Structure formats: structure tokens, C-alpha cells
Amino acid sequence: MSMQPPPDGYGYGYGAPPPPWPIPTPPRRPKWPWLVGGALLVAVVAAVAALVVVLTRSSDPGSEGAVAASPSPSTVTVTVSPSAAPPTETDPPAPRTQASRSAPSGFPTNGTLKVGVDIAPGEYALRPTDSLGGYWERLSCLTGDFECITANSIVQGNSYVTVLPGDVALRIEDLELTATGNPAPAPGPARPLPPVSASEDTDPQGFVGIPEARCNHTNPAVAIGQTADSLVVVCETGAGRYYYKGVRTNDGAAIEIDDPVPSGDGFTATNAGVQYSISSSALVISEGSTVLAEEPMLQYWSR
């Protein structure tokens, strides 16, 4: 039997509008989202708690979990050679040393050797250390001027050089020196210079009556020489220095030069690039490599 709503509004005249018919049933709200959300929340809380427990056990060195979780140590042996080991601050590397350029005899193979300081007068054997040969020069001074060279030679094979007591230095290039033990020849004995004439007598200061060839004041002469054209004298001052005086006999031209240097059994004086060298054999006047005059010595005395 079907039910119909009363047409008159429930029989009481006008009243509230009738509810829809049939009365709809409100939908049921699902309950599964709440269940799922709750389960997820519980799972997250459980995971966080488990993580806290694990971290706490790992930080405890005595815990078994930490021991079990840490890998077992293994021993690795590395061998480092001493040459590869880096230097430490307490053990700095040894400084490099330059290879010595000295010959087995103790003399250097290149350089300037001062006589009486680095090398003694005497005879020395020479051996070139370079395939192109070597070179030596005996020096009467150390100014670097060409006039300082009293003798020199290029050495291609084994040779010899004699360093004289009057030499100032010996300069060598690519040569090995070995002393032979033979001494340098001694200078000739001092002998008086016989007078040439009455006007040219000599005494311990030089030529008597010729001021241009005579030492000043009371300075003594250390060398006196005469050639066919010149008279020369070397004088020593009280301070141990020397000066040279010379005169040309044909016209009386004279010259005086300070600080001549000993050379062999004589002296070498330099003035404005011109070199005056006297010895028992000759008076040699040169400029650079050019010999201006060479006068054989007729009479010579030195002390």
C-alpha cells in the first residue's frame, strides 16, 4: 500500500511546507581516512623513536650495537724508501754543495793566485783541463791593466811555468798546477854599478850630479840601470813605497813615475798607458801590445 502525503497540509489548514518525499537519507561519511592517518602517525613516531635509540647506542663506545655496527679494523703496512720520505722540520734537507773546481794538488784550475798568499814562488807543472787548452799570465800588479802582464802563454799540452819572487800574482785559466819542488831562481847578487865617467858616478841614491836619475832627499835606491840611451833609478820612500826616475841622455828628457811594482829582478812603472820595465837584461818601453823601445842594459844593480 502506497503512502501519499495529505493534500491539506497534514489536515490543519496552512502549515509548514511538507518535507520532500520520500525523505532522503543523509550520506554516510567514510571512516577510513582517519584510520589510515592514525596508522601513519603511529608509524612515524615509531620510526623516530627507533632512530633515537640507534643514535644513542652508536654514541656509546661500550655498547654492543656500536661495536657490531663499526667495521672491524684492518692493518695496512706501507713501506717508504728513505729517499722518498719528505723532510721534517726537525730534520731539514742538507744543502747542496757545489762541486769543487780545485785540482787534486789543491790549486784551483781557474783564477788569480797571489804570490806569497795563494801560491809560493817556484816551478809548477801545467796540465790543461779543457780540450781547447789553457792559459797563464804572470802579473806585476792587480789593477787589471794590460801593462800588469809580464809574461803569458797559451798551453796546449803539458808544460811548466816558474813563479818568481818578484811576481805579484799568477792568473790561470783551465790549468791544473802541480808544484815540481824546484825553487825559483834567486835574483843575481847585488853588484855595484861601475862609474861610466866622472860625471856619471853612482852612489846609494843613484847617479851623482844628475838629479833626474837620482833619488830625492835621503831616499835610497833599490835599482840602478844604464843603457846606451837612458839612465834609470828606482827609489824607496820611508813608507815602503817606490818611485821611478829616468832620463834620456841625448836630449835630457826626464820622467818620474809613482808606485812602480816589483817584477822579477826589476820593476815596472806605468804612466798614461805607457809601461817602463827595467831588469838586468833591458829597459823595455811599451804601450799596450806595441813595444816602443827596447834598450839592452849595459850596467845594472839592484838589492
Side-chain angles (χ1 to χ4, degrees):
M1 153 178 152
S2 64
M3 298 181 63
Q4 298 289 330
D8 54 359
Y10 298 99
Y12 296 99
Y14 295 102
W21 191 262
I23 298 173
T25 303
R28 299 178 61 182
R29 298 181 66 180
K31 297 181 178 181
W32 63 269
W34 296 97
L35 296 176
V36 173
L40 290 176
L41 180 59
V42 172
V44 170
V45 172
V48 171
L51 180 60
V52 171
V53 172
V54 170
L55 293 177
T56 302
R57 289 183 177 181
S58 300
S59 62
D60 185 5
S63 64
E64 295 179 359
V67 174
S70 61
S72 59
S74 59
T75 301
V76 179
T77 302
V78 179
T79 301
V80 181
S81 63
S83 61
T88 62
E89 293 183 358
T90 58
D91 185 18
R96 295 181 179 178
T97 57
Q98 270 192 334
S100 174
R101 295 180 60 86
S102 295
S105 60
F107 295 106
T109 56
N110 289 272
T112 301
L113 308 177
K114 292 189 69 174
V115 177
V117 178
D118 305 313
I119 190 172
E123 184 184 69
Y124 293 85
L126 305 176
R127 186 184 68 84
T129 60
D130 189 274
S131 58
L132 299 178
Y135 171 79
W136 65 262
E137 59 188 26
R138 289 171 37 224
L139 303 174
S140 62
C141 55
L142 295 175
T143 61
D145 297 329
F146 179 81
E147 291 77 10
C148 293
I149 302 174
T150 58
N152 62 340
S153 178
I154 296 175
V155 180
Q156 297 293 344
N158 294 337
S159 184
Y160 297 88
V161 64
T162 299
V163 178
L164 300 178
D167 292 339
V168 172
L170 175 72
R171 190 172 76 86
I172 56 174
E173 294 180 6
D174 300 320
L175 286 177
E176 179 181 314
L177 297 179
T178 303
T180 63
N182 296 328
R191 61 185 185 275
L193 183 68
V196 176
S197 66
S199 62
E200 294 177 349
D201 289 343
T202 60
D203 64 11
Q205 288 187 275
F207 292 89
V208 177
I210 306 177
E212 296 82 2
R214 182 174 178 81
C215 297
N216 302 329
H217 308 296
T218 59
N219 297 151
V222 293
I224 304 172
Q226 180 183 9
T227 69
D229 300 312
S230 304
L231 302 176
V232 294
V233 61
V234 176
C235 307
E236 184 178 19
T237 68
R241 296 177 61 182
Y242 305 103
Y243 56 93
Y244 169 96
K245 300 183 74 172
V247 59
R248 194 164 52 201
T249 55
N250 62 350
D251 59 3
I255 189 171
E256 181 172 340
I257 305 172
D258 292 332
D259 299 319
V261 294
S263 176
D265 63 348
F267 289 82
T268 299
T270 304
N271 179 56
V274 179
Q275 186 179 44
Y276 298 79
S277 299
I278 65 170
S279 66
S280 57
S281 59
L283 164 65
V284 179
I285 304 174
S286 59
E287 183 174 13
S289 58
T290 303
V291 176
L292 304 178
E294 184 171 0
E295 304 174 11
M297 196 67 70
L298 301 179
Q299 301 179 81
Y300 183 76
W301 169 90
S302 66
R303 67 170 177 87

Coordinates of all heavy atoms in Angstrom, one line a residue, residues 1 20 78 90 103 107 119 124 132 155-156 208 240 251 263 270 284 290:
M1 N 0.8 -1.2 0.0 CA 0.0 0.0 0.0 C 0.9 1.2 0.0 O 1.8 1.3 0.8 CB -0.9 -0.1 1.2 CG -1.4 1.2 1.8 SD -2.4 0.8 3.2 CE -2.2 2.3 4.1
P20 N 10.2 17.0 1.6 CA 10.3 16.3 0.4 C 10.0 14.8 0.6 O 10.2 14.2 1.7 CB 11.7 16.5 -0.1 CG 12.5 16.9 1.1 CD 11.5 17.6 2.0
V78 N 102.7 0.2 5.0 CA 103.2 1.0 3.8 C 104.7 1.2 4.1 O 105.1 1.7 5.1 CB 102.5 2.4 3.7 CG1 103.1 3.1 2.5 CG2 101.0 2.2 3.5
T90 N 112.3 19.1 11.9 CA 113.4 18.9 12.8 C 114.6 18.3 12.1 O 115.7 18.2 12.6 CB 113.0 17.9 14.0 OG1 112.5 16.7 13.4 CG2 111.9 18.6 14.8
A103 N 142.0 21.5 -8.3 CA 142.7 20.3 -8.8 C 143.2 19.5 -7.6 O 143.1 19.9 -6.5 CB 144.0 20.8 -9.6
F107 N 145.3 23.5 -5.8 CA 145.1 24.8 -6.5 C 143.9 24.8 -7.4 O 143.5 23.8 -8.0 CB 146.4 25.1 -7.4 CG 147.7 25.2 -6.7 CD1 148.6 24.2 -6.7 CD2 147.9 26.4 -5.9 CE1 149.8 24.3 -6.0 CE2 149.1 26.5 -5.2 CZ 150.1 25.5 -5.3
I119 N 150.0 31.1 -3.6 CA 151.0 30.3 -4.3 C 152.4 30.8 -3.9 O 152.6 32.0 -3.7 CB 150.7 30.3 -5.8 CG1 151.6 29.2 -6.5 CG2 151.0 31.7 -6.4 CD1 151.2 29.1 -8.0
Y124 N 156.2 25.1 -11.5 CA 155.0 24.3 -11.5 C 154.7 23.6 -12.8 O 155.0 24.2 -13.9 CB 153.8 25.2 -11.2 CG 153.8 25.8 -9.8 CD1 154.6 26.9 -9.5 CD2 153.2 25.1 -8.7 CE1 154.6 27.4 -8.2 CE2 153.3 25.7 -7.4 CZ 154.0 26.8 -7.2 OH 154.1 27.3 -5.9
L132 N 140.4 22.5 -25.4 CA 141.0 23.6 -26.2 C 142.3 24.1 -25.6 O 142.9 25.0 -26.3 CB 139.9 24.7 -26.3 CG 138.6 24.3 -27.0 CD1 137.7 25.5 -27.0 CD2 138.9 23.8 -28.4
V155 N 148.7 27.2 -23.3 CA 149.2 25.9 -23.1 C 148.3 24.9 -23.8 O 147.1 24.8 -23.5 CB 149.2 25.6 -21.6 CG1 149.8 24.2 -21.3 CG2 150.1 26.6 -20.9
Q156 N 148.8 24.1 -24.7 CA 148.1 23.1 -25.4 C 148.3 21.7 -24.9 O 147.5 20.8 -25.0 CB 148.4 23.1 -26.9 CG 148.1 24.4 -27.6 CD 146.6 24.6 -27.7 OE1 145.8 23.7 -27.6 NE2 146.2 25.9 -28.0
V208 N 175.3 60.3 -9.5 CA 175.8 61.5 -8.8 C 175.8 62.7 -9.8 O 176.3 62.6 -10.9 CB 177.2 61.3 -8.2 CG1 177.8 62.6 -7.6 CG2 177.2 60.2 -7.2
G240 N 157.9 52.7 2.5 CA 157.9 51.4 1.9 C 157.4 51.4 0.5 O 157.2 50.4 -0.1
D251 N 169.0 64.0 -25.1 CA 168.4 65.4 -25.0 C 168.0 65.8 -23.6 O 167.4 66.9 -23.4 CB 167.1 65.4 -26.0 CG 166.1 64.3 -25.6 OD1 166.3 63.6 -24.5 OD2 165.1 64.2 -26.2
S263 N 159.0 43.4 -10.3 CA 158.8 42.4 -11.4 C 160.1 41.7 -11.7 O 161.0 42.3 -12.2 CB 158.3 43.1 -12.6 OG 158.1 42.2 -13.7
T270 N 154.2 52.5 -14.8 CA 153.2 52.8 -15.8 C 152.8 54.2 -15.7 O 152.5 54.7 -14.6 CB 152.0 51.9 -15.7 OG1 152.4 50.5 -15.7 CG2 151.0 52.2 -16.8
V284 N 162.6 48.2 -21.3 CA 161.6 48.0 -22.4 C 160.5 49.0 -22.1 O 159.9 49.1 -21.1 CB 161.0 46.6 -22.4 CG1 160.0 46.4 -23.5 CG2 162.1 45.5 -22.6
T290 N 152.3 47.2 -28.1 CA 153.3 47.7 -29.0 C 154.6 48.1 -28.2 O 154.5 48.8 -27.2 CB 152.8 49.0 -29.8 OG1 151.6 48.6 -30.5 CG2 153.8 49.5 -30.7

